Amino acid sequence: MKMHSLAPFVMLLLLLSMTENIWQPSDFASIEKGSDFVIQWQHSYGRLPWWSARYEGPQPVGDADNDGKNELLIGGRDPFMRVMKYEEGKEYYEQARIIDPVWGLGYNFMGIPEPFGSATGFSIADIDNDGKNEIGVAWGRHFSAFKWDGEKYEKIGMYPIVENGWGTTLDCIVGDVDNDGKNEVVVTGGYSDNIPEVIVLQWDGEKFIKESEWNYPGSYWVYFPWIADVDGDGKNDLIVNTNATIVLSWEDGEWKGDVVAYYNDSYPFGCVAKDSDDDGKPEIHVTFYAPMLKIYEYQDGRYVKKASFYWEGEEGTIEAIDIGNVDGDDMPEVAVGTNYVHILQWDGNEYEEEYVITSTHGLLAVTCIGDFDNDGRNEINAASVGEPLGGEYEAWILKYME
């Protein structure tokens, strides 16, 4: 009875939350230390925390429909995985809106709390090892993958993660994590004691099977893992955060861990291992619940801290981290989000802050880099997961214009 009596009010809130607010490409971003970024695209997802907030995925940029052009994934607390595509004349538009195949549209109105039905983590990659890309989504209680069939993204398979008890997926990333020549899907989360924080899946030609797992002692939440060869041995590693940053190596049929650093001042969230100092080797970039960034690299058989940043008075960095060339100078930059987007570059001795984009707002869960409009130059996608009461949850695409 109560749910039925609230239905008109809930539907009104839903309509308000989905009201679009798109800016034109000519609007300029607010920049400190430089004035050459523009807001290429901006969109409001509404004002409801349980519906409008945006999430990040480790691999949100890639050729999802295998037409030779990149797409961008945008997910959040609603039950949609949005596939954004750029087209001359149309600008950015939704090519598809994939709905959670288990909970569908009704989860909020059935009294089931977020994040069940939310795209908590997502990736564009060759998931089934057929040479073509698919979209993989962790939806809170399960993982599923989708392939473009020429008209829509069709589900090819699903694997349940949480069947009984409390828990949620947080992220998924695709890569050859065990160095067998085939891609796996790594699904991480925060689960009850009977479910490991890391589950590795592989497509066997017909379905997803669990290949391995890793369970850290105690109860921890593993956000935003990464796959890269960070110790220079020619084999991929899996980098995860618990109360520490840990590099996992698959050896003799089990996961062996090497601790990069322990933390007691703030919980670690994001972990991206890419080459940010242009030395040909990936560094480990870790973000936190605090407005903080730490960068590590492997030297002489151990991991050492290369840099540390703290932006006093700003929002936490959580998962808002990526590395890539954003200003066309042939050098990689580190883009990290608080409520602003800080852009750092290695000058040969240290990381210096090149730009600060101040037109963004809220707790930025999203700060990723990629060529979204397929012009050969990278853009930055940012979006918020936290806003003051009544604030708009927005997403931006920011572009450097010479």
Side-chain angles (χ1 to χ4, degrees):
M1 291 295 293
K2 290 182 179 179
M3 289 300 294
H4 286 290
S5 64
L6 288 174
F9 176 68
V10 171
M11 289 305 297
L12 175 61
L13 287 177
L14 179 56
L15 289 172
L16 289 173
S17 76
M18 298 178 71
T19 300
E20 293 188 354
N21 177 20
I22 301 176
W23 289 22
Q24 298 302 312
S26 59
D27 292 302
F28 279 80
S30 176
I31 308 291
E32 298 174 3
K33 301 182 182 179
S35 57
D36 295 323
F37 283 85
V38 301
I39 297 177
Q40 189 185 41
W41 175 85
Q42 183 170 353
H43 184 81
S44 170
Y45 290 91
R47 302 173 185 269
L48 302 179
W50 50 265
W51 182 273
S52 309
R54 300 296 92 196
Y55 288 149
E56 177 65 294
Q59 296 161 314
V61 187
D63 185 3
D65 59 6
N66 299 286
D67 68 346
K69 297 180 180 181
N70 286 336
E71 284 76 42
L72 170 67
L73 301 181
I74 295 180
R77 288 188 183 146
D78 50 26
F80 305 126
M81 180 76 268
R82 292 172 168 86
V83 186
M84 305 299 298
K85 195 173 185 69
Y86 183 87
E87 185 175 319
E88 294 290 345
K90 282 188 176 181
E91 305 298 330
Y92 291 97
Y93 69 98
E94 281 188 15
Q95 180 196 41
R97 189 180 292 192
I98 302 171
I99 300 174
D100 170 26
V102 173
W103 294 108
L105 292 169
Y107 73 106
N108 279 315
F109 310 115
M110 294 189 298
I112 300 170
E114 131 348 86
F116 304 150
S118 300
T120 62
F122 35 91
S123 291
I124 299 174
D126 184 5
I127 294 171
D128 62 3
N129 294 287
D130 68 346
K132 296 182 179 180
N133 286 335
E134 292 80 36
I135 294 174
V137 186
W139 293 101
R141 299 209 125 192
H142 65 94
F143 170 84
S144 53
F146 305 84
K147 184 185 290 288
W148 180 252
D149 66 5
E151 297 181 353
K152 63 185 182 304
Y153 290 94
E154 186 72 25
K155 186 184 75 174
I156 63 169
M158 183 177 67
Y159 189 91
I161 304 292
V162 183
E163 296 183 89
N164 298 297
W166 177 257
T168 176
T169 62
L170 293 171
D171 276 300
C172 63
I173 189 168
V174 180
D176 184 6
V177 73
D178 61 2
N179 300 285
D180 66 349
K182 296 180 180 180
N183 284 338
E184 289 81 34
V185 180
V186 177
V187 183
T188 64
Y191 309 114
S192 54
D193 291 338
N194 63 328
I195 303 176
E197 287 92 346
V198 174
I199 295 173
V200 180
L201 307 175
Q202 189 166 71
W203 181 255
D204 72 354
E206 296 181 352
K207 63 185 182 301
F208 286 105
I209 59 172
K210 184 167 69 171
E211 188 178 80
S212 66
E213 61 186 41
W214 179 77
N215 195 17
Y216 190 65
S219 180
Y220 294 94
W221 295 56
V222 175
Y223 297 86
F224 213 77
W226 204 260
I227 300 171
D229 177 12
V230 292
D231 58 7
D233 67 351
K235 297 180 180 180
N236 280 336
D237 308 293
L238 174 62
I239 307 99
V240 297
N241 290 322
T242 55
N243 62 335
T245 298
I246 303 170
V247 175
L248 297 172
S249 302
W250 183 253
E251 300 177 20
D252 302 322
E254 63 179 352
W255 291 105
K256 296 183 179 179
D258 191 358
V259 174
V260 175
Y262 286 102
Y263 309 108
N264 54 24
D265 50 352
S266 185
Y267 197 83
F269 272 68
C271 184
V272 172
K274 294 183 181 179
D275 182 8
S276 61
D277 63 2
D278 205 31
D279 67 349
K281 299 180 294 183
E283 288 73 41
I284 300 173
H285 308 75
V286 182
T287 49
F288 297 83
Y289 188 73
M292 185 164 59
L293 167 69
K294 294 184 183 294
I295 303 175
Y296 304 93
E297 70 176 4
Y298 191 76
Q299 293 181 4
D300 301 322
R302 63 190 183 95
Y303 295 95
V304 299
K305 185 166 66 177
K306 189 178 182 72
S308 181
F309 290 84
Y310 193 96
W311 292 279
E312 187 70 42
E314 298 185 17
E315 297 282 0
T317 52
I318 57 172
E319 296 177 324
I321 176 70
D322 205 356
I323 291 88
N325 181 11
V326 299
D327 61 3
D329 64 354
D330 296 325
M331 282 287 293
E333 282 83 31
V334 179
V336 58
T338 56
N339 45 310
Y340 304 138
V341 177
H342 297 266
I343 300 174
L344 317 171
Q345 189 175 69
W346 179 253
D347 68 0
N349 296 302
E350 62 182 356
Y351 291 91
E352 288 192 342
E353 201 163 70
E354 271 195 300
Y355 314 97
V356 183
I357 302 175
T358 58
S359 59
T360 55
H361 55 76
L363 175 59
L364 298 180
V366 181
T367 301
C368 72
I369 297 172
D371 184 5
F372 313 135
D373 62 5
N374 298 286
D375 68 345
R377 298 180 296 158
N378 285 334
E379 294 79 43
I380 300 171
N381 173 221
S384 64
V385 74
E387 293 285 349
L389 184 63
E392 286 193 79
Y393 292 85
E394 295 189 277
W396 304 263
I397 293 178
L398 306 158
K399 189 177 187 68
Y400 183 84
M401 301 296 290
E402 295 178 306

